[in-house]
Amino acid sequence: MGRKFFVGGNWKMNGTKSEIDGIVAFLKNGPLDSNVEIVVGVPSIYLTYVKDILPNNVSIAGQNTYKVAKGAFTGEISPVMLLDNGIPWVILGHSERRNVFGETDELVAEKVAHALEAGLKVIACIGEKLEEREAGKTEEVVFRQTKAIADKIKSWNNVVLAYEPVWAIGTGKTATPQQAQEVHAKLRDWFSKNVNQTVAETVRIIYGGSVTAGNAKDLAKEKDIDGFLVGGASLKPDFVQIVNAKQ
Protein backbone atom coordinates (compact mmCIF):
# COMPACT_ATOMS: atom_id res chain seq x y z
CA MET A 1 0.00 0.00 0.00
CA GLY A 2 1.33 3.41 -0.95
CA ARG A 3 0.84 6.49 1.18
CA LYS A 4 -2.59 8.01 0.54
CA PHE A 5 -2.36 11.54 -0.84
CA PHE A 6 -3.53 14.05 1.77
CA VAL A 7 -4.69 17.64 1.27
CA GLY A 8 -5.49 19.85 4.24
CA GLY A 9 -7.11 23.25 3.98
CA ASN A 10 -6.24 25.58 6.85
CA TRP A 11 -8.84 28.35 6.93
CA LYS A 12 -6.96 30.14 9.74
CA MET A 13 -8.95 33.04 11.27
CA ASN A 14 -11.17 33.49 8.24
CA GLY A 15 -14.81 32.99 7.40
CA THR A 16 -18.33 34.04 8.30
CA LYS A 17 -21.27 31.69 7.88
CA SER A 18 -22.07 33.14 4.48
CA GLU A 19 -18.44 32.85 3.33
CA ILE A 20 -18.27 29.30 4.68
CA ASP A 21 -21.41 28.40 2.75
CA GLY A 22 -19.58 29.47 -0.39
CA ILE A 23 -16.56 27.28 0.42
CA VAL A 24 -18.77 24.29 1.17
CA ALA A 25 -20.60 24.87 -2.12
CA PHE A 26 -17.44 24.53 -4.21
CA LEU A 27 -16.34 21.50 -2.20
CA LYS A 28 -19.70 19.87 -2.95
CA ASN A 29 -19.47 20.79 -6.62
CA GLY A 30 -15.95 19.35 -6.86
CA PRO A 31 -15.43 16.90 -8.29
CA LEU A 32 -12.83 15.85 -5.70
CA ASP A 33 -10.40 13.00 -6.37
CA SER A 34 -11.71 9.99 -4.44
CA ASN A 35 -8.13 8.78 -3.86
CA VAL A 36 -7.27 11.84 -1.77
CA GLU A 37 -7.90 12.28 1.96
CA ILE A 38 -9.21 15.82 2.45
CA VAL A 39 -9.41 17.67 5.78
CA VAL A 40 -10.31 21.31 6.42
CA GLY A 41 -9.13 23.19 9.51
CA VAL A 42 -11.94 25.43 10.75
CA PRO A 43 -12.08 28.23 13.38
CA SER A 44 -13.36 26.64 16.57
CA ILE A 45 -16.56 28.68 16.75
CA TYR A 46 -17.65 27.24 13.37
CA LEU A 47 -16.56 23.62 13.78
CA THR A 48 -19.99 22.12 14.41
CA TYR A 49 -21.66 24.38 11.83
CA VAL A 50 -19.20 23.23 9.16
CA LYS A 51 -19.24 19.57 10.19
CA ASP A 52 -22.97 19.41 9.59
CA ILE A 53 -22.77 20.79 6.02
CA LEU A 54 -19.50 19.38 4.63
CA PRO A 55 -19.72 16.75 1.89
CA ASN A 56 -19.03 13.23 3.16
CA ASN A 57 -15.64 13.03 1.41
CA VAL A 58 -14.22 15.97 3.38
CA SER A 59 -13.24 15.66 7.05
CA ILE A 60 -12.74 18.41 9.60
CA ALA A 61 -9.99 19.58 11.96
CA GLY A 62 -9.64 22.01 14.81
CA GLN A 63 -6.79 24.49 14.40
CA ASN A 64 -5.38 24.07 17.89
CA THR A 65 -5.86 22.27 21.20
CA TYR A 66 -4.15 22.51 24.57
CA LYS A 67 -1.98 19.86 26.26
CA VAL A 68 -4.45 18.84 28.98
CA ALA A 69 -8.06 17.66 29.03
CA LYS A 70 -9.63 20.47 31.08
CA GLY A 71 -8.90 23.18 33.58
CA ALA A 72 -8.29 26.89 34.15
CA PHE A 73 -7.01 27.74 30.68
CA THR A 74 -9.26 30.54 29.47
CA GLY A 75 -9.63 30.66 25.70
CA GLU A 76 -8.25 27.18 25.04
CA ILE A 77 -10.04 24.05 23.89
CA SER A 78 -9.01 20.48 24.59
CA PRO A 79 -8.86 17.34 22.43
CA VAL A 80 -11.74 15.81 24.37
CA MET A 81 -13.91 18.81 23.45
CA LEU A 82 -13.18 18.29 19.74
CA LEU A 83 -13.93 14.58 20.00
CA ASP A 84 -17.12 15.28 21.96
CA ASN A 85 -18.29 17.30 18.95
CA GLY A 86 -17.33 14.67 16.39
CA ILE A 87 -14.17 16.48 15.20
CA PRO A 88 -11.49 13.83 14.43
CA TRP A 89 -8.48 15.98 13.47
CA VAL A 90 -6.42 18.87 14.82
CA ILE A 91 -3.64 21.03 13.35
CA LEU A 92 -0.81 21.56 15.87
CA GLY A 93 2.48 23.44 15.80
CA HIS A 94 1.59 25.64 12.85
CA SER A 95 4.25 28.30 12.25
CA GLU A 96 1.80 30.98 13.32
CA ARG A 97 1.33 29.24 16.66
CA ARG A 98 5.09 28.97 17.03
CA ASN A 99 6.11 32.40 15.76
CA VAL A 100 3.12 34.65 16.52
CA PHE A 101 2.04 33.03 19.79
CA GLY A 102 5.45 31.83 20.97
CA GLU A 103 4.78 28.09 21.22
CA THR A 104 7.99 26.17 21.85
CA ASP A 105 9.03 22.82 20.37
CA GLU A 106 8.39 21.33 23.80
CA LEU A 107 4.86 22.70 24.10
CA VAL A 108 3.97 21.65 20.56
CA ALA A 109 5.23 18.13 21.30
CA GLU A 110 3.23 17.95 24.53
CA LYS A 111 0.11 19.07 22.68
CA VAL A 112 0.64 16.49 19.93
CA ALA A 113 1.17 13.72 22.49
CA HIS A 114 -1.95 14.63 24.47
CA ALA A 115 -4.09 14.94 21.33
CA LEU A 116 -3.00 11.48 20.14
CA GLU A 117 -3.55 9.92 23.56
CA ALA A 118 -7.06 11.44 23.63
CA GLY A 119 -7.83 9.85 20.25
CA LEU A 120 -7.42 12.70 17.78
CA LYS A 121 -5.51 12.49 14.51
CA VAL A 122 -2.90 15.22 14.17
CA ILE A 123 -1.47 17.37 11.39
CA ALA A 124 1.83 18.32 13.04
CA CYS A 125 3.65 21.28 11.45
CA ILE A 126 7.37 21.96 11.25
CA GLY A 127 9.47 24.39 9.22
CA GLU A 128 12.31 26.89 9.20
CA LYS A 129 12.29 30.68 9.00
CA LEU A 130 14.00 32.59 6.17
CA GLU A 131 17.04 33.51 8.25
CA GLU A 132 17.43 29.87 9.28
CA ARG A 133 17.33 28.69 5.67
CA GLU A 134 19.81 31.39 4.61
CA ALA A 135 22.11 30.31 7.45
CA GLY A 136 22.00 26.72 6.19
CA LYS A 137 20.07 25.53 9.24
CA THR A 138 17.00 24.02 7.53
CA GLU A 139 17.84 20.43 8.49
CA GLU A 140 18.89 21.37 12.01
CA VAL A 141 15.58 23.16 12.62
CA VAL A 142 13.20 20.61 11.10
CA PHE A 143 15.04 17.67 12.70
CA ARG A 144 14.91 19.41 16.11
CA GLN A 145 11.18 20.10 15.77
CA THR A 146 10.48 16.53 14.63
CA LYS A 147 12.62 15.00 17.38
CA ALA A 148 10.72 16.97 20.04
CA ILE A 149 7.52 15.28 18.83
CA ALA A 150 9.13 11.84 18.37
CA ASP A 151 10.42 11.93 21.96
CA LYS A 152 6.89 12.38 23.32
CA ILE A 153 4.71 10.07 21.21
CA LYS A 154 4.36 6.30 21.05
CA SER A 155 3.14 5.94 17.46
CA TRP A 156 3.11 7.92 14.23
CA ASN A 157 0.07 6.06 12.86
CA ASN A 158 -2.29 8.99 13.36
CA VAL A 159 0.14 11.78 12.47
CA VAL A 160 0.53 13.63 9.19
CA LEU A 161 3.73 15.71 9.23
CA ALA A 162 3.43 19.06 7.42
CA TYR A 163 6.68 20.68 6.29
CA GLU A 164 5.96 24.38 5.99
CA PRO A 165 8.96 26.63 5.38
CA VAL A 166 7.91 29.79 7.20
CA TRP A 167 9.45 32.02 4.53
CA ALA A 168 6.98 30.55 2.00
CA ILE A 169 3.75 30.94 3.98
CA GLY A 170 1.51 33.72 2.72
CA THR A 171 4.46 35.37 0.97
CA GLY A 172 3.84 34.14 -2.56
CA LYS A 173 7.26 32.49 -2.38
CA THR A 174 7.15 28.73 -2.75
CA ALA A 175 9.90 26.22 -2.23
CA THR A 176 10.64 24.71 -5.62
CA PRO A 177 9.51 21.10 -6.02
CA GLN A 178 13.20 20.15 -5.73
CA GLN A 179 13.73 22.16 -2.53
CA ALA A 180 10.63 20.67 -0.94
CA GLN A 181 11.48 17.13 -2.08
CA GLU A 182 15.00 17.46 -0.67
CA VAL A 183 13.70 18.33 2.81
CA HIS A 184 11.01 15.62 2.69
CA ALA A 185 13.58 13.00 1.66
CA LYS A 186 15.91 14.07 4.47
CA LEU A 187 13.05 13.86 6.97
CA ARG A 188 12.28 10.35 5.78
CA ASP A 189 15.94 9.46 6.23
CA TRP A 190 15.82 10.97 9.72
CA PHE A 191 12.85 8.73 10.57
CA SER A 192 14.68 5.63 9.32
CA LYS A 193 17.68 6.43 11.54
CA ASN A 194 15.89 7.77 14.61
CA VAL A 195 12.48 6.08 14.74
CA ASN A 196 12.27 3.06 12.44
CA GLN A 197 12.12 2.11 8.79
CA THR A 198 8.39 1.37 8.83
CA VAL A 199 7.56 4.89 10.01
CA ALA A 200 10.01 6.31 7.46
CA GLU A 201 8.14 4.53 4.67
CA THR A 202 4.57 5.06 5.89
CA VAL A 203 4.35 8.48 7.55
CA ARG A 204 2.81 11.05 5.24
CA ILE A 205 4.90 14.20 4.84
CA ILE A 206 2.93 17.00 3.21
CA TYR A 207 4.11 20.41 1.99
CA GLY A 208 2.69 23.80 2.90
CA GLY A 209 3.73 27.26 1.83
CA SER A 210 2.00 29.25 -0.91
CA VAL A 211 0.62 26.14 -2.62
CA THR A 212 -1.56 27.17 -5.58
CA ALA A 213 -3.47 25.53 -8.40
CA GLY A 214 -0.54 26.59 -10.57
CA ASN A 215 2.26 24.82 -8.69
CA ALA A 216 0.44 21.90 -7.05
CA LYS A 217 0.84 19.46 -9.93
CA ASP A 218 4.62 19.86 -10.10
CA LEU A 219 4.96 19.55 -6.33
CA ALA A 220 2.74 16.45 -6.33
CA LYS A 221 5.06 14.68 -8.78
CA GLU A 222 7.87 14.47 -6.19
CA LYS A 223 8.06 11.02 -4.64
CA ASP A 224 8.27 12.11 -1.00
CA ILE A 225 5.60 14.84 -1.15
CA ASP A 226 2.42 13.14 0.03
CA GLY A 227 0.09 16.12 -0.26
CA PHE A 228 -0.35 19.68 0.91
CA LEU A 229 -1.44 21.90 3.77
CA VAL A 230 -3.02 24.86 2.01
CA GLY A 231 -3.75 28.25 3.55
CA GLY A 232 -5.32 31.09 1.57
CA ALA A 233 -6.02 28.97 -1.50
CA SER A 234 -8.26 26.67 0.55
CA LEU A 235 -10.79 29.52 0.78
CA LYS A 236 -11.13 29.68 -3.01
CA PRO A 237 -12.48 27.33 -5.70
CA ASP A 238 -8.87 26.73 -6.82
CA PHE A 239 -8.65 24.40 -3.82
CA VAL A 240 -10.45 21.75 -5.89
CA GLN A 241 -7.62 21.82 -8.45
CA ILE A 242 -5.07 21.43 -5.65
CA VAL A 243 -6.93 18.41 -4.27
CA ASN A 244 -6.89 16.91 -7.77
CA ALA A 245 -3.19 17.61 -8.38
CA LYS A 246 -2.36 13.90 -8.75
CA GLN A 247 -4.89 13.34 -11.53
Side-chain angles (χ1 to χ4, degrees):
M1 283 289 290
R3 298 182 298 269
K4 186 169 186 175
F5 206 71
F6 183 102
V7 177
N10 178 10
W11 296 0
K12 307 189 181 184
M13 196 177 72
N14 292 296
T16 59
K17 285 183 180 178
S18 63
E19 290 167 342
I20 286 167
D21 289 345
I23 296 170
V24 170
F26 72 65
L27 289 173
K28 285 182 174 175
N29 286 338
L32 301 172
D33 187 341
S34 61
N35 296 313
V36 177
E37 185 167 7
I38 308 161
V39 178
V40 290
V42 175
S44 57
I45 197 166
Y46 292 125
L47 281 164
T48 52
Y49 177 76
V50 174
K51 183 176 79 75
D52 290 341
I53 59 175
L54 277 176
N56 291 335
N57 53 348
V58 180
S59 192
I60 189 168
Q63 295 180 6
N64 186 36
T65 51
Y66 197 49
K67 65 180 181 178
V68 293
K70 60 182 178 179
F73 303 103
T74 301
E76 292 290 331
I77 61 173
S78 70
V80 73
M81 292 174 179
L82 288 187
L83 290 163
D84 194 39
N85 283 281
I87 311 299
W89 285 90
V90 66
I91 301 168
L92 293 172
H94 190 279
S95 65
E96 291 153 12
R97 299 302 314 174
R98 294 176 186 269
N99 299 314
V100 178
F101 298 100
E103 294 189 4
T104 62
D105 294 350
E106 177 82 0
L107 177 58
V108 171
E110 288 172 347
K111 287 163 74 162
V112 171
H114 178 62
L116 291 170
E117 286 163 10
L120 282 175
K121 294 180 276 192
V122 175
I123 302 167
C125 305
I126 59 170
E128 82 282 15
K129 293 185 281 195
L130 180 59
E131 58 266 33
E132 292 166 334
R133 173 166 278 268
E134 289 178 341
K137 293 184 174 178
T138 293
E139 288 176 49
E140 177 187 328
V141 172
V142 298
F143 292 169
R144 185 193 76 224
Q145 293 170 336
T146 307
K147 181 179 187 301
I149 296 168
D151 286 348
K152 289 274 196 298
I153 70 173
K154 300 178 180 71
S155 168
W156 287 84
N157 289 348
N158 288 319
V159 181
V160 172
L161 190 66
Y163 168 58
E164 295 199 307
V166 181
W167 50 270
I169 298 175
T171 61
K173 295 178 181 176
T174 312
T176 65
Q178 295 74 29
Q179 284 174 319
Q181 164 60 25
E182 181 182 12
V183 177
H184 285 224
K186 285 177 175 171
L187 282 164
R188 230 173 267 296
D189 184 56
W190 184 91
F191 278 111
S192 70
K193 291 173 179 169
N194 295 278
V195 183
N196 62 59
Q197 190 60 33
T198 302
V199 170
E201 291 171 0
T202 58
V203 70
R204 289 178 290 182
I205 306 175
I206 62 176
Y207 171 76
S210 298
V211 177
T212 67
N215 60 30
K217 279 192 178 296
D218 285 337
L219 286 160
K221 289 174 185 169
E222 299 294 336
K223 72 183 180 73
D224 290 303
I225 296 179
D226 302 316
F228 308 115
L229 184 56
V230 184
S234 68
L235 305 170
K236 303 168 186 170
D238 280 2
F239 185 61
V240 172
Q241 294 177 56
I242 296 170
V243 169
N244 296 338
K246 289 290 268 189
Q247 288 183 331

